[in-house]
Structures are given as C-alpha cells and as structure tokens.
C-alpha cells in the first residue's frame, strides 16, 4: 500500500530544437545511453547525474540518402552497437574506438533488432516477414517467417514455405522481446489477416520453432514487452468496442490471455510503447493523445492494476522512455523540448496521520481509515474521483478539520474537505466527484507537476516544482520581481527547485450536509515562491509548530522553511536551542519523518530518514543498515500532543523490531573503521550480525512470517496495532507484545481499568499485570474503582480466577516492561500494614490496618492473592446489587483464595439452600430465590473451580453430613464409596463424629478438643492422639485441669522429649511429675553431671550409691571428651587424687595438676608425672613442626610451578590469537605432579601437615583432632585438577597456628620452665617460631602474586575467587613466645 512519487528529475542534456525527434532510445547495463535520430545521426551519452554529450558516431557514406536507422541494440560481449537501416544494412558501431563496420545486409530492410539477454544470439526482423537468428560471428542460425496466418499448419508440420510471395507490401512495425532467461522470445507486428487482427507469437530460442501463439486480436501497433521475470507478456490492444478505451493485455508463454486493464483517457489514446522495469514491479506505458503525450506508471497488487503516476507533455513531438537496466526505480525520457531527463522514483507510504490510508489509482483516490475499516486496496471505505490522473496527495488532520490536497497530471490542484472523523461511517461505499482549485498564480511548466505536497497549516500548503536550467530564463523577469531566491548550490546544471507556498481560502457559501465531502469554492488567496538552486528530495511538516517544515536537499542536508519567511539557513546549533538540531543525513533519504519526542521532560523534534540502500538514519547516525520500512508508535494517543515513544522497523532479514525512542535519543553510537570512512555499528556495545539496539527490554524482535512484508502503518494508543502489507497485497495486523504491554500500563496508570482488562482479554495477557504493575497494595486501595469501572461480573470472575502469587513484572514481563511500584507497606509479625486504607481487613489470622508512618518495607508476596480477593469481595458485597452473577463471583473469590476458603463458600451455599427450603415451605420468595439462583447451581460452580475432594472434605469440616452427601453426589462420586462412611458417622455421638472427621482431615487440634469433650471414657484416645502428634501436648495441658491427667500427659511428653534426645527438657518434665528416677536418667544421658548428682540427693541415695554414680559419671565424661569435668568428680566425690591428676594431664591442664598434687602432699610424684607427660608432648610437637616446615615448602614450590605453567600457557595462547576464555579449564592445570620431585599430597607421614597443631599429651589424640580438622577443610588436593592452584593457596592459609593452639603452646612452655626443662622449652619455641614464620611468609608470597595478577588484569580463571579466600585469624605479634627463650 503505497504511492509512487517523482523524487528527482534531473535535466541531463539539452539539444538544439531540430534534434527533438529521436526514433530510438537505448540504455545498456554499463550505464550508457544511445539515441538514434532521423538523418542518420547517433549520439552516445554517459548516464550519470551530470550527463553530457561525448561523441557523434558517424555512419559510412555508402548509405543511401533516404536511408534511416530502424533498429538499434547493444551487444554485451563485443561492447558495440548493432544498427539496422531501412535498406537492410547491419552496421556494427564500436563506441570505444569510434569505428563503423557493415557486417551484413538483409533483404526487405530491417524492421527491428533484439539481442538475447546473454548476448549470444541476435534476432533480426526483416521487411519481408522473416526472422533471422544470427550468432556473434554473424552466421545465420535459422530463418523463419513471423507472418504465419496463411501457412500456419505447414509451419507447425516442420516444413517452411517457399519464397515470400504475397508479401510485396511493406510490413507494419515489428516488436521482438526476449524472456528474462533467454529461452524464448515473442514477436508482435505483421500484415495481419483480412480483418486486421494479429497474433502474439512465442518462439523457441534454439530451433526457432513456434512454441505458441495467441488468438487473433486487434493489437495496437507493436507495443509489447516480456516481463523480465518471465511470468507475462504485456501487449497493447486497440480500442475495445464495449469499453471504448485502449487496454493492455497480458499473455502467458502458452499464448493464453491472463488479465488486462484499461488505459484512462479518451478514445483517441494510442499506446506507443510498453516497458517493464528490471524487477518486473512497474510497467511504463507511453500513451499518445490528440493534444499531449503521457508516460504512465502502472503497478500490480492484490489482483488489481493501479495507475500510480502520469506525466503529460504537450504537442505531438516524439517522446521516448527507457528504464535503468539495473536500478528499478530510475528511468530516462526524451521530452518534447529536446531535454533528456533522468527520473528517480520512489515508493512512499500511503498511510497518513491517524492511520488514514489514501491510495492513488489513476483518477481515483481510495480512502480507508484503518482504525475503522481494515480492508486492502483496491477495496476502500470510500472513493474520491478527480478529473485527471492523480500525481501526488497530501493529507492533514489537525483538530476537527481534515483536508486532502491532490496534485493532478493536468497541472491543477484539488482540495477536498473531510467531515469530522466520527461521521466517516456515513461515507462507506460512496464515490465523490471533485472540482479543481482555481489555479490563480500557479505557474505551469509542461502541465507543471507540483511535487512533495505538504500542509503547513489547514489552509497553507507547500510544494515543489522543478524548472530546468534553460527554462528558468523564461521566467527570469517574474523571478526577479516576485520570487525569493535562496543561494543553496548543489553543483551541476540541474536546473532549480521552486518552493511554492499557497494560502488557500474556501469561498463556498453553500451549506454542506453533515458527514459529506466538499471540494468546491477553493481558491488561492496568496502565494509565495522561493527558488532553490538545488534539488529537493523531501518535505515534512514540523509536528510541533504550525507553518513550519523541514526540507531535505539533494545532498542530505536539512533546512527549515517558515511560512511567509522562506528558508531558515541559521546554523544548526542555534536552531537546536529551539526544538531540534537539523543535522542532515549521510545520504539523501527519500523517506523522511520528523517526530516529537521528550528529552528529559522537554519536547523536541527528531528527524528520521531512510535511504535507498536501506540505512535508517537519525542525527547523522545509522540505526539499522538493512531497514526496509519504518513507522512510529505514540502511546499518548488521545492527548493534546501525541509524543512518539517507540520506533518500529522491518529489516531485510524479515524481522520486525520495536525500539525505545529514549534509547535512540540518548544512546551512544560507536564506529568501526570499514575502509572508506566510518561505518556505525549500533548503539552501545557492538553485537554480532544485524545492527540494532542492544539494551535488554528496550527492543522486541519479531520474525515476520511472510517474506518481503513491509510495515505500512501503526495505530497509536491503546490499539497498539502494527499493520503489515505482504508482497501479494493483503493486509495483516499484528500486536507486538511490547506495545500491548505499554498500552496496558498506560491504562493502569490512568486508572482506565476497563480498557486495561479489554486489552488483557483481547491479547491474552496474564491478568496478574493489572495487579503487579502498580503493586498489589495500590490495587487494593483502588479495588472499589476497579469493580465499578469494569461493571462486568464475567470479566471480574476471569480476573479472579487468573490471580497468582507470582509477580509477572519480575518474571514473565521482566525484560519488556518496568513496574510502576509505590511500596508504602511494612511487615510486622503476623500483622501486615498498608498505607491509605480506610479500615482493617480481616484475613484469617492476619489483619490489614492503616499505617501512617513512612519508611515501610516490602510485604511478603504470599499476601497478594488473599488481599486482592478480600478487597474485591468486600466491594462486591457492599456496592454491587444482588444478582446470580454477583453471588457466583463472590464464590469465585472464596474458591480462588490461597488457601481456598471452601468452608466459607459452603456456608454461603448452605445458607442459600436453607433460604430455598424456607421459601418453598412458606411460599414466600426469598432474596436469593428471587434471583433464580439455586444452591445446586452454586455448588456446581464451586466444584468447577475447585477439586471435588477438597470441597467434599470442606463439607465434612462443617460437620454437615447432608451437605457432604450433596457435594459427593454432584461431584459424581460412587455412592458405595461415601454412603457407608457417612452412615457410620451419623451413628456416632456428636463429639466422636467431629473427632473422627477432624482426624480424617488432619485437623488434630480440633480433634483433641472434640474428643476431650466426649468425656473421661475417651481420655486414652486423647493421650494416643497427643503421642502421635507431640505438638498437642501443650494444648492437652490447657484442656485438662485434673492433676492426675496432667501428670500422665507430662510424663508422656517427657518420654517424647527423651526419645528426641532433648534430655534436659525431658528431665524437667519428669521433675514436674516427681519422676526423679527418670529425671536422673535424662540428666546422665545428657552429660549434666551436676544436675544428676543433685537429683541423687533428691532421691536420698546412700554414700555407696552416690560413689558408684560418681564413678559412672566420670567414665561417661571421659568418653564424651571432657576429662577436666571428670577430674572434678573424681576429686570431689570419689576422693581419687591420682585419678584426678591423670585426668588433668589428659586435659592438658599442667598447672592445675601440679596444684592438686601439692595440695594433697603428692608434689614430687606429681611433678615427675607432669614432667614426663610435658616432655613427651613437646617432643611430639617438635617433630610435627619440623614436618610442617617441610610441607609448607613443598606446597609453595608446587604452587609456584603450577602458576608458572599457567602463565606460559596463557602467553602461548595469546600469541596464537586465542582468548583464555575459549580454552578448557583443565588445559590450564595440566601440570605434571612430579615437577621438582614434589608429591606433597602422598608422601606425608602419620601426622597431617595442618598447622593447627595440638599440644595433647598423647599422639593419637593429636592425630584424631588433625584428621577431623582436615576433613572439615575439604580433604586432599588433586594434582592437575582445575582448582589446584587456588586450593594450594587456600591450604597454605589453613596451616596457620590458631589462637587456641598458641594458647596451649604457651601453657606447655610455662610448665616446662616450671619443671626446669629450659632446653626442651627453648627447642619447642624455636621450632614453633620457625614453622609460624615459614607459613606466614609462604602465604604472603602467594597472596602478593595473586594481587599482582589481579592488578594487571592477567589473573587466570583459577584465581577469580582469590578475593574470597578465608582469613583464619593470623596474629601479627607472636604473643605466645617467652622472651627469655628467644635467641639473642
């Protein structure tokens, strides 16, 4: 859906007046143009923007005086022209060497020449009706007759006619056209039959055999051309007897006619030429009328042919036209004034403001408001018919006024005033005929075309006329007196562009019926002309300011135009301070659109442009280099000023991308050198593949399902529709998820809940966005407004059923839309506080109350569903009138709650059922009965929303067996399953029944209460229930007040605590029931010796029994690893001094052992025992420290070797151009475990290398503690593993002397000094100090190397967690050392 506009018209060449009658025009793929004139002149011109005459190719003097050129073609292989003359000469002209050779002569003269697409074969049509196929060596491959009306059967049988008798009269013009692949060619033009009818014939290339022919038809001379794609052959036909107009018919390769269209105009119209462009998209027709000639451009879409453009030329002089062989939208024509014009066409969007589609179709303009009626052309909402073909249109809709300006091919201008858009429904299917505007001072140049029509104001219009250099002098006096001249030079003699500003006024005094179109009474009140010595590519009105427009020049520069002031050529920096920077494009962009955007709250203009190479540009920067179409979306539709928020564009990869304008406006563009100049690679960081915006969430990429589909329009606001047109012409509408979510978000912010719900339902969006976008707390506050505005209980029910705890703004739509939260809430214990709530809302065990203090914290997400449904239910109950739908909606809020409030829902149903029964018995209509809502229907609705088993259990929970039976029946349960159970319950006493139901439903607290109410006979069941559910013991104590029963409960509770090894609590429970023997056992099991001995006193045990108990406790404490506690019992209760001393030595309490020995006069004995144990422990530690020093050295050496190997490997990979991230982790750690003979992980002795050394008096105890600590630290290190280097550093750090080890070492040194073993103490301190200094130095060395690598950015992947290494409390001072033992 588009219009073809004349983008540029450049005067390439101007020749004298007597050379205005060319007979042939030829353009080749190398960019050369050849023109053949009468009187045997041939000119060659280079086809560029500044086309100039290069040389005159003279013909041999052997030509006769009346000889003329009748055929002309270009031979690709030989890079030469082949020229045919009326006398039959074939002349080869080589432009490069300016040589002319006669290569042959045919009888009857040359009618036409056509070379095959590959240049290997040349077809020559002679005046005697023969077709000659010639090779590049000028050998005749075959010769056939193209006039077979008299001997067609003979030709098809394989024989040829003898001679050419009967063809003495000269033939009419003949046309030969090749198919694009060169396998077939078509001919048209012969003497015809007796009725003057001719046949279109299709010939095979290789043999010259007639492949097919059409039915005899009244073709119009030889206007015929085969579509380059090979699908159809277009041929012109004479005036039809029925339609009274010329037509163009299309034929397939088999000769059958497949479609046609009529040429607009009078019966005198004659089609002289038909030409396809190189991509078979456009068909050009050269049509001659009595007073003018015209070039018409036709396009096919959706099974309809549209006349998209027509240029008229006065007089009957010869007019020629040719397409560019390589560029489909460029053409060249020879005008009646002897000018050669280079024409540049472009497709422009036919969708204007407010999504109004205005499609040009000859004299008709098809108008369709896409937001009202989405129909593809040629269908339309209504049709406007004009007096001549439409060249350009401009539409404006500002406020209540909508105007359409139409430039016609006869040079006139027509204005159509539309009614208010609310009344366009009345125009459906109508056809309106218009009248033209009084041209007044409008200058006409060859029926001057007014291009780039643009409305500056509802009554001011701006356009461009092109005036060639030689024609400008015709108006020099008028220019000097009336026109403004702007010195904008673009180089070259391309003529001038004339900006025409017209102020229109409507003098129509007749009243127009409401809802009708009006076009009469329009006149030009005043006009102003501005001459620009440069071509104008595009004009676009400023969307922010009236009477201002942006004009794009041929080199991509942009200037501003002010009404009645002219061109504003102020520096871009000065204009930037107003609204925009007017920065030009890198190349001229036929598609230019200025849009209003917000920049930090300030309204500015951003100008986008798309060039012919597919580069989408803005502010001199390229957004996408493969763009095919683009448009804009304004989410603020309906407001005073629509501000564009998103850019939508399609690419050659058939992708549709939605980009945020803010990202474009404030994004940084990075450039990468690409040979000549700089090539932009996108905003922000560079991506692989297609250039596009990269920030997640700011673009949405969709795959277009049909190849080649283009974006033609956007419906702004809540509609959020993107309209695409496929190649075949039909329209498709898609709704990008991002735009839909933006529309929903806008509706929610404005509290347009009905529009938001409508969008959610229409586009299948998750309903939770209505709650989550602004936060569920805000929704709770607006629940009343939500229900009131929706006013549709079915929609509210859908919303309630869709609610989930999941926050879709953090999951489903996280990368598309940012939430609009207002977190005024806190959480405090079991109460949840919200702001701006009027009254407390009871949520079971939770309460929502008002909170005035600021600084609230986020509430648990699990409250969302419950809070929202409670708020909606409250509004439904208070503000909505009673109806079946309301009651069902309330039921839905209860059933969909989390957890479901099925019991509450069943209570409502039970109440309705009771009301039904009462109404039936009393014959009085109750409230609910009057609503025609039965309890059975409500129950079925509840069963549909919930699991039937859950509803059945909820009914049982109400202890209503009859209701439970009804639920079971309606849930299609087998009566054999539930009836016996219900009958059994019915036969039980009420408390027992309730107890049985509660046990089945696992409601044990209620079950305990019910069975307790059944009497003392059921106390055993109560006790068993508490034993099976220990949490009920506290409730049981609260229920039962009898002392005996409480004692039984406490004893059972104590047994339970003892089984869970909660010995102290169990002992307290036993003590409460005076079960001291059980309490004693609990204290002993828990190692609580003081409480156990106290309990022995409570039991009044004898001395022997206490002594025996003390011995047992002493042994148990030793087994538990508490020798110091056992020593206290042995000394205090067992009176075993020696045993106590031995236990103290085991506990490493050296000084305490000496004190006890001296206290009981055993000093010498104890002194010797302590001395031997201390020396033994010191020797063991010296050995371990010595081994530890060796281990530290091995670990450090191994670490340095692994690190060096990794660095060498990384350097090698970097030299090879591979990134370290591309290499497997194992590659960095493939270091042999036998480097330097180290095997630190396997050659250890009995003790571990851990530095957290013990000073135990027994080696086995020390080894046990070290093994345990090593297990905690993670086990052994695997040589060559990926984490070896990091593990080595971590292990070195773990070998530090802990604070406890230092304290024990200091106590041992003190004991050795007291016992006179100074040499042993000195040696122990020396080895311990050496070990500690060695370990600290190794750790410091390793950490320094890691820090150095991280600072240089060269740390490998194994060191990425080096910052997280554990610090084990290394002391900088050696506080455990005795200075007297230190060396001097």
């Amino acid at each position: 859906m588009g219009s073809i506009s004349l983008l540029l018209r450049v005067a390439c060449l101007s020749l004298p007046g007597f050379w205005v009658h060319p007979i042939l025009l030829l353009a080749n793929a190398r960019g050369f143009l050849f023109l053949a004139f009468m009187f045997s002149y041939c000119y060659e011109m280079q086809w560029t923007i500044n086309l100039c005459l290069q040389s005159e190719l003279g013909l041999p003097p052997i030509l006769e005086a009346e000889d003329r050129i009748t055929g002309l073609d270009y031979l690709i292989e030989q890079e030469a022209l082949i020229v045919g003359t009326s006398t039959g000469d074939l002349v080869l002209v080589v432009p490069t060497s300016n040589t002319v050779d006669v290569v042959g002569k045919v009888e009857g003269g040359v009618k036409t020449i056509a070379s095959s697409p590959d240049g290997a074969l040349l077809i020559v049509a002679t005046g005697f009706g023969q077709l000659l196929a010639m090779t590049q060596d000028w050998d005749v491959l075959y010769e056939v007759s193209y006039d077979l009306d008299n001997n067609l059967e003979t030709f098809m049988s394989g024989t040829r006619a003898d001679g050419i008798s009967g063809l003495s009269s000269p033939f009419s013009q003949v046309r030969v056209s090749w198919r694009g692949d060169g396998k077939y060619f078509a001919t048209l033009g012969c003497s015809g039959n007796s009725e003057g009818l001719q046949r279109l014939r299709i010939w095979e290339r290789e043999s010259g055999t007639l492949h097919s022919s059409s039915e005899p038809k009244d073709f119009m001379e030889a206007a015929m051309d085969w579509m380059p794609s090979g699908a159809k052959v277009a041929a012109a036909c004479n005036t039809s007897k029925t339609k009274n107009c010329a037509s163009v018919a299309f034929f397939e390769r088999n000769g059958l006619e497949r479609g046609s269209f009529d040429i607009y105009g009078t019966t005198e119209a004659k089609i002289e030429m038909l030409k396809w462009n190189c991509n078979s998209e456009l068909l050009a027709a050269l049509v001659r009328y009595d007073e003018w000639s015209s070039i018409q451009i036709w396009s096919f879409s959706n099974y309809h042919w549209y006349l998209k453009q027509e240029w008229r030329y006065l007089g009957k002089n010869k007019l020629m036209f040719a397409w560019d062989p390589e560029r489909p939208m460029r053409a060249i024509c020879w005008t009646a004034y002897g000018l050669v014009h280079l024409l540049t066409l472009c497709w422009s969007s036919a969708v204007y403001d407010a999504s109004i589609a205005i499609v040009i179709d000859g004299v008709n303009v098809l108008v369709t408001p896409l937001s009202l009626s989405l129909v593809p052309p040629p269908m339309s909402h209504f049709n406007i018919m004009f007096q001549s073909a439409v060249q350009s249109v401009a539409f404006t809709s500002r406020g209540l006024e909508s105007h359409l300006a139409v430039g016609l091919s006869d040079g006139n201008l027509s204005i159509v005033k539309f009614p208010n858009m609310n009344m366009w429904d009345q125009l459906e299917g109508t056809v309106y005929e218009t009248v033209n505007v009084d041209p007044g001072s409008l200058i006409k140049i060859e029926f001057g075309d007014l291009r780039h029509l643009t409305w500056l104001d509802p009554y001011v219009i701006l356009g461009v006329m092109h005036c060639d250099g030689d024609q400008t002098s015709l108006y020099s006096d008028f220019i000097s007196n009336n026109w403004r001249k702007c010195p904008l030079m673009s180089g070259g003699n391309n003529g001038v562009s004339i900006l025409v500003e017209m102020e229109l006024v409507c003098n129509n005094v007749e009243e127009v019926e409401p809802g009708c179109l009006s076009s009469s009474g329009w006149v030009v009140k005043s006009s102003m002309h501005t001459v620009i010595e440069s071509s104008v590519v595009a004009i676009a009105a400023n969307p922010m300011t009236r009477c201002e427009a942006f004009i794009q020049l041929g080199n991509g520069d942009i200037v501003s135009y002010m009404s009645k002031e002219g061109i504003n050529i102020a520096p871009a920096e000065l204009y930037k301070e107003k609204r925009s920077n007017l920065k030009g494009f890198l190349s001229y962009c036929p598609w230019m659109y200025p849009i209003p955007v917000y920049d930090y709250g300030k309204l500015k203009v951003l100008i986008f442009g798309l060039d012919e190479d597919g580069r989408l540009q803005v502010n001199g920067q390229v957004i996408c280099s493969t763009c095919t179409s683009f448009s804009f979306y304004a989410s603020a539709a309906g407001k005073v000023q629509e501000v564009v928020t998103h850019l939508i564009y399609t690419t050659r990869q058939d992708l549709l991308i939605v980009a945020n304008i803010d990202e474009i406006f404030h994004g940084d563009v990075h450039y990468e050198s690409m040979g000549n100049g700089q090539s932009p690679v996108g905003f922000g960081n560079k991506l692989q593949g297609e250039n596009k915006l990269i920030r997640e969430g700011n673009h949405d990429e969709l795959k277009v399902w049909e190849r080649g589909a283009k974006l033609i329009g956007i419906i702004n606001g809540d509609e959020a529709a993107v309209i695409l047109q496929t190649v075949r012409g039909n329209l498709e509408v898609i709704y990008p998820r991002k735009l839909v979510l933006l529309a929903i978000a806008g509706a929610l912010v404005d509290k347009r809940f009905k529009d938001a719900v409508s969008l959610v339902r229409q586009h299948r969006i998750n309903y939770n966005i209505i709650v989550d976008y602004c936060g569920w707390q805000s929704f709770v506050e607006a629940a009343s407004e939500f229900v009131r505005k929706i006013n549709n209980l079915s929609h509210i029910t859908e919303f309630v059923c869709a609610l989930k705890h999941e926050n879709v703004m953090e999951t489903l739509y996280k990368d598309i839309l940012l939430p609009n939260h207002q977190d005024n809430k806190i959480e405090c214990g079991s109460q949840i506080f919200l702001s701006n709530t009027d009254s407390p809302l009871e949520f079971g065990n939770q309460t929502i109350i008002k909170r005035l203090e600021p600084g609230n914290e986020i509430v648990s997400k699990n409250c969302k569903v419950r809070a929202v449904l409670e708020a909606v239910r409250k509004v439904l109950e208070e503000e909505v009138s009673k109806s079946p739908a309301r009651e069902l909606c309330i039921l839905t809020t209860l059933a969909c709650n989390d957890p479901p409030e099925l019991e509450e829902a069943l209570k409502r149903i039970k109440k309705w059922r009771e009301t039904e029964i009462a109404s039936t018995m009393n014959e009085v209509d109750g409230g609910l009965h009057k609503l025609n809502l039965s309890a059975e229907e409500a129950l079925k609705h509840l069963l549909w929303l919930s699991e039937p088993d859950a509803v059945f259990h909820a009914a049982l929970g109400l202890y209503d067996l009859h209701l439970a039976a009804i639920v079971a029946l309606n849930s299609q349960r087998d009566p054999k399953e539930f009836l016996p159970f219900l009958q059994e319950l019915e036969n039980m006493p009420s408390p027992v029944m309730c107890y049985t139901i509660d046990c089945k439903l696992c409601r044990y607290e209620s079950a305990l209460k019910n069975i307790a109410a059944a009497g003392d006979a059921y106390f055993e069941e109560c006790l068993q229930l508490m034993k099976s559910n220990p949490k009920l013991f506290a409730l049981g104590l609260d229920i039962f007040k009898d002392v005996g029963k409480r004692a039984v409960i406490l004893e059972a509770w104590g047994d339970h605590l003892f089984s869970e090894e909660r010995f102290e609590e169990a002992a307290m429970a036993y003590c409460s029931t005076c079960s001291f023997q059980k309490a004693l056992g609990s204290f002993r099991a828990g190692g609580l010796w003081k409480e156990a001995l106290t309990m022995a006193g409570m039991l009044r045990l004898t001395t022997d029994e206490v002594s025996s108990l003390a011995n047992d406790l002493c042994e148990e404490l030793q087994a538990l690893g508490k020798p110091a506690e056992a020593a206290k019992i042995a000394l205090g209760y067992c009176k075993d001094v020696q045993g106590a001393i031995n236990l103290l030595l085991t506990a490493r309490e050296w000084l305490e052992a000496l004190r006890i020995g001296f206290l009981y006069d055993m000093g010498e004995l104890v002194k010797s025992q302590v001395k031997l144990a201390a020396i033994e422990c010191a020797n063991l530690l010296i050995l371990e420290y010595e081994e530890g020093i060796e281990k530290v050295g091995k670990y450090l050496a191994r670490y340095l070797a692994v690190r060096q190997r990794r660095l060498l490997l990384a350097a090698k990979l970097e030299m090879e151009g591979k990134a370290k991230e591309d290499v497997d982790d194992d590659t960095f750690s493939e270091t042999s475990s036998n480097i330097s003979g180290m095997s630190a992980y396997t050659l250890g002795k009995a003790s571990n290398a851990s530095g957290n050394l013990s000073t135990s008096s027994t080696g086995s105890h020390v080894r046990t503690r070290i093994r345990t600590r090593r297990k905690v630290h993670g086990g052994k290190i695997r040589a060559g593993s990926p984490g070896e280097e990091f593990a080595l550093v971590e292990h070195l750090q773990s070998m530090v002397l802990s604070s406890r080890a230092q304290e024990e070492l200091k106590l041992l040194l003190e004991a050795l000094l007291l016992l006179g073993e100074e040499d042993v103490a000195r040696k122990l301190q020396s080895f311990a100090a050496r070990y500690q200094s060695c370990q600290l130095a190794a750790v410091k060395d390793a950490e320094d190397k890691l820090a150095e690598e991280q600072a240089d950015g060269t740390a490998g992947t194994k060191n990425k967690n080096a910052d997280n290494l554990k610090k084990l409390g290394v002391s900088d001072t050696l506080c455990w050392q005795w200075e007297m033992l230190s060396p001097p």
Side-chain angles (χ1 to χ4, degrees), residues 1195-1205 1288 1341-1342 1345:
Y1195 277 113
L1196 181 61
R1198 177 63 177 173
Y1199 165 73
L1200 295 176
V1202 173
R1203 177 179 177 274
Q1204 184 65 23
R1205 178 67 177 271
L1288 284 168
D1341 188 15
K1345 292 186 181 301

Side-chain angles (χ1 to χ4, degrees), residues 779-892:
F779 181 85
V780 168
E781 298 171 8
S784 176
E785 187 176 2
F786 172 80
V787 174
R788 185 176 65 256
K789 289 186 175 180
I790 296 299
N791 196 25
N792 188 317
L793 293 175
S794 298
H795 295 173
I796 295 177
T797 303
E798 291 180 17
F799 164 76
V800 168
C801 293
L803 279 182
K804 303 294 180 184
H805 283 301
E806 174 192 9
N807 188 342
V808 295
M809 299 307 301
E810 297 177 356
T811 55
L812 189 60
Y813 306 126
K814 176 181 178 182
D815 297 330
I816 304 177
L817 191 65
L818 295 177
N820 185 29
H821 283 308
Q822 297 175 356
D823 297 325
N824 298 322
K825 48 201 177 287
I826 67 169
E827 183 178 5
C828 182
S830 63
Q831 290 184 336
I832 302 174
F833 301 93
L834 300 179
S835 64
N836 301 325
T837 55
D838 297 331
S839 59
L841 299 179
E842 298 293 338
F843 285 173
N845 295 328
Q846 297 176 335
T847 306
I848 295 182
I849 63 175
K850 189 172 182 179
R851 178 72 175 181
L852 299 177
E853 294 82 19
N856 298 334
E857 299 177 357
I858 298 178
V859 181
S860 173
K861 297 179 181 179
N862 295 331
C863 301
K864 166 188 165 183
V865 174
R866 196 171 186 83
V868 171
L869 294 186
E870 179 68 21
V872 172
R873 181 165 64 253
K874 182 178 179 181
V875 175
L876 290 173
E877 293 174 346
E878 295 179 355
E879 300 184 12
V880 180
S881 58
K882 291 183 178 180
S883 66
R886 188 201 77 156
E887 300 302 327
L888 294 179
C889 189
I890 293 175
L891 270 185
T892 305

Side-chain angles (χ1 to χ4, degrees), residues 443-582:
I443 303 295
K444 289 188 178 182
I445 305 174
E446 294 184 7
F447 290 78
D449 53 337
L450 195 61
R451 298 181 286 118
H452 304 307
L453 291 176
T454 304
W455 288 97
L456 304 182
D457 191 79
Y459 293 91
V460 179
I461 193 169
L462 180 66
V464 177
M465 290 193 300
H466 179 78
C467 181
D468 298 325
D470 293 343
Q471 293 173 311
T472 307
S473 60
L474 300 176
Y475 309 101
S476 58
D477 295 337
F478 190 75
I479 291 175
S480 60
N481 296 328
N482 301 282
W483 291 7
R484 301 166 59 91
K485 189 171 183 180
C486 181
L488 297 173
M489 299 298 296
S490 62
N493 185 22
N494 297 330
V496 296
S497 296
I498 306 170
L499 295 177
V500 181
E501 177 188 343
M502 292 176 291
E503 183 179 357
L504 306 175
V505 63
C506 182
N507 295 328
N508 186 10
V509 296
E510 299 179 0
E511 293 185 359
V512 180
E513 296 182 6
C516 295
L517 303 176
S518 172
S519 64
S520 60
W522 290 90
V523 295
V524 178
K525 180 180 179 181
S526 63
S527 64
M528 188 182 75
H529 304 77
T530 303
V531 178
I532 303 179
E533 296 180 4
S534 174
S535 57
V536 174
V537 175
I539 301 177
N542 189 336
M544 291 174 49
T545 308
R546 287 193 174 190
C547 298
E548 183 178 6
F550 301 114
I551 299 176
Q552 183 188 169
L553 305 180
N555 58 0
D557 290 340
I558 299 176
V559 296
S560 67
Y561 179 91
M562 296 294 296
S563 177
K564 299 181 180 180
E565 295 181 9
I567 298 294
N568 180 5
I569 57 174
E573 291 77 8
L574 297 179
Y575 195 79
K576 182 178 180 181
E577 297 177 359
K578 299 179 182 179
R579 286 170 294 274
S580 178
N581 57 9
L582 288 185

